[in-house]
């Protein structure tokens, strides 16, 4: 009798796991390849407990709505024409993920970018970089441009160590040089958090047009930057959900990105 009871319990437990597994897997992979994922891992894994505690309990910076700039990916879903009209009324431009590595195309990019273009709204694009060497970096840069030739500017989102041959600096420089072949006068930015940049791409970042800094804190970072991602939980009334939000450096105007 006891053995039968154990088998029943095991069977029920297994059934519950099977039913819930897809949603758990989806949740676990939800942030993969999205801007700030590497930075969040850095915060969570940082050994300095006191620093981690201060980061986790610190509220998002208070930034005027009109100064915020949103960055979106497939996890925010497909935009509607009504949403784009509202976004255009409140923002000079937004930023979309176009790809994760060179093989994975963001599921909503094609639809959302066309809708933005139809409404004459400017947008930049980023690639969550996964390159393993300089050649791979060039492939990812070219792929990003080919997927978004109408973007106003381009971002190399390199925030997780993936390089296995050569140095991260060399590969990140190669990404930029390849993108320059196609981007013309459009701005090309590098995104990451400060610690990662200093340890992996401190030389290459100097060749980019600007540095986009991730730092979930209340005040403008001292590190030189053109754009500051200050939160991943800004409530967008236009989209009725929380999204990543950014603010310009005090010395940079929106026109710098899109002109």
């Amino acid at each position: 009798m006891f053995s039968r009871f154990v088998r029943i319990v095991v069977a029920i437990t297994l059934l519950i796991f099977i039913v819930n597994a897809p949603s758990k897997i989806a949740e676990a992979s939800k942030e993969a390849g999205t801007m700030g994922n590497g930075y969040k891992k850095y915060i969570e894994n940082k050994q300095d407990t006191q620093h981690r505690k201060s980061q986790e309990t610190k509220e998002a910076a208070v930034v005027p709505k009109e100064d915020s700039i949103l960055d979106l990916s497939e996890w925010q879903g497909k935009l509607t024409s009504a949403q784009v009209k509202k976004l255009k009324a409140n923002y000079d431009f937004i930023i979309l993920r176009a790809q994760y590595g060179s093989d994975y195309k963001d599921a909503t990019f094609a639809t959302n970018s066309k809708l933005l273009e139809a409404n004459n709204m400017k947008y930049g694009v980023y690639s969550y970089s996964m390159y393993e060497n300089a050649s791979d970096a060039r492939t990812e840069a070219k792929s990003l441009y080919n997927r978004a030739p109408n973007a106003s500017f381009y971002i190399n989102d390199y925030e997780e160590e993936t390089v296995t041959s050569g140095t991260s600096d060399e590969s990140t420089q190669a990404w930029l040089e390849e993108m320059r072949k196609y981007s013309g006068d459009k701005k090309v930015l590098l995104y990451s958090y400060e610690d990662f940049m200093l340890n992996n791409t401190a030389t290459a970042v100097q060749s980019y047009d600007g540095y986009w800094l991730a730092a979930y804190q209340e005040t403008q970072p001292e590190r030189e930057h053109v754009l500051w991602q200050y939160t991943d939980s800004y409530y967008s009334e236009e989209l009725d959900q929380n999204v990543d939000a950014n603010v310009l450096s005090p010395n940079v105007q929106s026109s710098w990105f899109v002109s």
Side-chain angles (χ1 to χ4, degrees), residues 161-179:
E161 181 60 85
T162 54
V163 172
T164 58
S165 177
T167 69
S168 291
D169 249 324
E170 292 169 345
S171 293
T172 302
Q173 182 67 32
W175 193 102
L176 173 64
E177 291 172 356
E178 185 68 18
M179 179 57 75

Side-chain angles (χ1 to χ4, degrees), residues 153-156 187-191 208-210 226 256-257:
F153 57 96
Y154 300 90
I155 304 109
N156 177 3
K187 298 295 191 297
V188 184
L189 313 181
L190 179 66
Y191 168 98
Y208 281 71
D209 292 312
V226 295
W256 182 87
F257 290 84

